Amino acid sequence: MEVISYSYKTILRFMKNATAAHLAVQSKYLTGFSSLSPAVWRASTITFSSLDEFVARKSRLPDGYTYGTTGTPTHRELEARIAALDKASHCVVLPSGQAAISLVMLTMLKAGDHLLITDSAYGPAHDFATHLTHMGVEVERYDPCIGSGIADLIRSNTQLIWLESPGTVTMEVQDVPAIVSQARSHGIRTAIDNSWASSLYFSPLSLGVDLCIQACSKHMGGHSDLLMGSVSTNDIALHTALRALQATMGQAVSAEDCFLVQRGLDTMTLRLEAQSVKALRLAEHLQRHPMVREVLHPALSTFKTHSLWQDQFSGSGSLFSLVLQDAPLDAFRAMFGSFRHIAIGASYGGLHSLAAFYHAQQQTSRLFPSIQAPIIRLAIGLEDYSVLATELNQSLETFESVCIDSAKSGAK
Ligand SMILES: *Cc1c(COP(=O)(O)O)cnc(C)c1O
């Protein structure tokens, strides 16, 4: 017993000395150091200089340092940078885009409240909203093209209107100013998922939206190797509530991932410009292909909600969708099987082009379907235009040949 208590005391003494020595060494070696890279500050424990400071630590929130879950200077530096891009005064980062979505819904909604969510929203956002119905929240989907008609759906218990523009997969551009104006006149908060255009090409907070959500996993990270989400706002009360619940739920973000998003942001303007210009060129090219029935890209002048895009956005994302001629699933299978440079997968904003597939049934089962056919969603990366154009041409030839074969065998 005596030995154990002695060694325990020794360890404590050693730890105390080690911490003091560590801090002294750190400040000593910081003198004269300067670098172009942000520092990576890791911490679970935050230390305090006195009993009083420790006891009052929660008063440092929303943005001071209290414990690892609420972040370190590395997190604050990134949050400030994202807030500036979003024309916001505050930002919270989360471990994924989906974590950002669920944090906003949980912060804003309680039992008895009514949520209006666009039918075109990211699938897992709907899944989380459905989860909230089990906790007493009333969830109602609305037509993404509803505009000021949203007024007819507003109830006395409507708390939040959820927007996503353009919509995931189907790309409907929403009339954000019209919806925000109705929401504001009824004292209802609005939140928007702005992952497609990123802060570079769309500023929803400037149009009066209260909360701007982004999947930093996409254009900000830019290399398909990390997950992160952000929520920006100009409302300090909302920001304080978001930070509190983020920490309470233990939704901590790794400092290394913050470093990687900072690195991604350094090149985001260049990457996104290259990707979006190429995506639009490919969309225009594919529009002329006989196997393509419709290209869903907001920047195409022929697209249904193009004029709304023109009014609100200053550029377009790297993601668009295709509706092909009616064909058996085998034709789509063969098309995807022929890809050499384009990888099969969801997501976007990385260096590599991706293709995703959505069955017709996923569209027809929507409450407000805008498309009744299978959809191919393309995310354009940084490969050469000619490589991608050639690959897409060849894959459509493969698609067509399976269509012709199956038509022949059907005619027999
Ligand atoms: C990818 C994506 C998300 C989710 O982001 P994760 O970081 O992958 O969880 C949310 N919304 C949209 C529109 C997305 O594209």
Side-chain angles (χ1 to χ4, degrees):
M1 249 357 237
E2 187 55 32
V3 174
I4 292 169
S5 103
Y6 175 75
S7 69
Y8 177 64
K9 274 191 208 154
T10 310
I11 288 166
L12 273 185
R13 200 179 314 131
F14 169 74
M15 279 170 61
K16 196 164 182 217
N17 290 342
T19 306
H22 174 62
L23 291 175
V25 163
Q26 213 164 53
S27 57
K28 175 183 162 197
Y29 287 119
L30 273 174
T31 311
F33 174 75
S34 165
S35 152
L36 296 170
S37 311
V40 178
W41 295 96
R42 299 180 55 91
S44 56
T45 302
I46 306 293
T47 59
F48 301 83
S49 59
S50 70
L51 177 149
D52 291 323
E53 285 233 8
F54 175 76
V55 170
R57 64 195 181 282
K58 289 249 164 101
S59 66
R60 296 176 169 197
L61 290 174
D63 291 330
Y65 307 114
T66 57
Y67 187 66
T69 43
T70 57
T72 71
T74 305
H75 298 73
R76 294 299 173 269
E77 196 180 342
L78 174 62
E79 287 168 346
R81 197 166 170 189
I82 296 174
L85 284 167
D86 280 341
K87 300 184 172 39
S89 41
H90 315 284
C91 175
V92 178
V93 291
L94 281 302
S96 68
Q98 179 63 11
I101 290 170
S102 50
L103 177 73
V104 169
M105 290 190 186
L106 271 178
T107 303
M108 305 299 291
L109 298 161
K110 61 183 187 311
D113 288 344
H114 176 230
L115 164 70
L116 284 167
I117 180 168
T118 174
D119 195 37
S120 59
Y122 178 65
H126 282 300
D127 295 342
F128 192 76
T130 301
H131 182 76
L132 290 179
T133 62
H134 307 313
M135 298 162 70
V137 177
E138 293 169 34
V139 176
E140 182 177 350
R141 296 184 181 213
Y142 67 87
D143 181 345
C145 301
I146 199 166
S148 54
I150 195 84
D152 298 336
L153 303 181
I154 291 174
R155 304 179 196 166
S156 58
N157 61 338
T158 305
Q159 251 334 293
L160 180 67
I161 300 175
W162 190 273
L163 302 96
E164 182 175 328
S165 184
T168 293
V169 185
T170 40
M171 301 287 157
E172 302 92 335
V173 181
Q174 297 198 260
D175 191 338
V176 176
I179 293 174
V180 166
S181 138
Q182 292 302 327
R184 295 222 143 187
S185 69
H186 290 84
I188 296 164
R189 299 293 197 171
T190 48
I192 192 165
D193 186 330
N194 190 33
S195 301
W196 180 79
S198 89
S199 345
L200 294 183
Y201 297 150
F202 187 39
S203 299
L205 296 185
S206 305
L207 297 178
V209 175
D210 294 300
L211 295 153
C212 174
I213 293 118
Q214 288 193 69
C216 313
S217 319
K218 311 291 168 55
H219 293 116
M220 290 194 212
H223 295 74
S224 314
D225 54 6
L226 64 87
L227 290 163
M228 197 185 292
S230 62
V231 186
S232 294
T233 182
N234 282 310
D235 185 316
I236 181 69
L238 290 182
H239 175 65
T240 304
L242 289 164
R243 175 75 74 202
L245 194 54
Q246 174 255 314
T248 301
M249 293 201 298
Q251 295 279 54
V253 174
S254 129
E256 271 78 14
D257 286 348
C258 292
F259 174 88
L260 287 173
V261 171
Q262 287 257 40
R263 181 194 285 209
L265 284 174
D266 291 340
T267 56
M268 180 166 76
T269 309
L270 292 172
R271 284 184 287 104
L272 188 50
E273 188 184 349
Q275 286 166 308
S276 69
V277 166
K278 194 163 25 185
L280 184 53
R281 219 178 132 196
L282 284 166
E284 284 162 351
H285 168 75
L286 289 164
Q287 210 174 19
R288 294 189 290 269
H289 197 286
M291 283 296 108
V292 177
R293 206 161 72 199
E294 194 179 355
V295 179
L296 311 175
H297 189 309
L300 289 176
S301 59
T302 49
F303 190 62
K304 276 197 304 288
T305 48
H306 173 70
S307 68
L308 287 171
W309 173 80
Q310 230 173 359
D311 290 346
Q312 299 168 52
F313 290 71
S314 61
S316 53
S318 60
L319 192 71
F320 65 97
S321 297
L322 299 175
V323 181
L324 302 187
Q325 301 298 350
D326 286 337
L329 188 58
D330 272 345
F332 291 94
R333 244 185 221 119
M335 179 182 179
F336 274 58
S338 75
F339 290 141
R340 293 292 167 266
H341 299 277
I342 299 172
I344 301 170
S347 199
Y348 51 93
L351 308 183
H352 304 282
S353 293
L354 300 170
F357 180 79
Y358 302 90
H359 285 291
Q361 192 198 343
Q362 283 166 273
Q363 304 311 318
T364 53
S365 65
R366 269 175 53 171
L367 203 55
F368 303 96
S370 59
I371 302 288
Q372 311 276 348
I375 295 180
I376 294 173
R377 195 179 73 170
L378 296 175
I380 303 307
L382 285 171
E383 302 90 345
D384 281 343
Y385 172 81
S386 60
V387 168
L388 295 175
T390 306
E391 176 139 318
L392 287 164
N393 284 342
Q394 283 167 355
S395 71
L396 286 167
E397 266 171 44
T398 306
F399 176 87
E400 186 170 13
S401 66
V402 178
C403 288
I404 293 168
D405 286 350
S406 68
K408 274 186 200 151
S409 61
K412 265 178 208 163

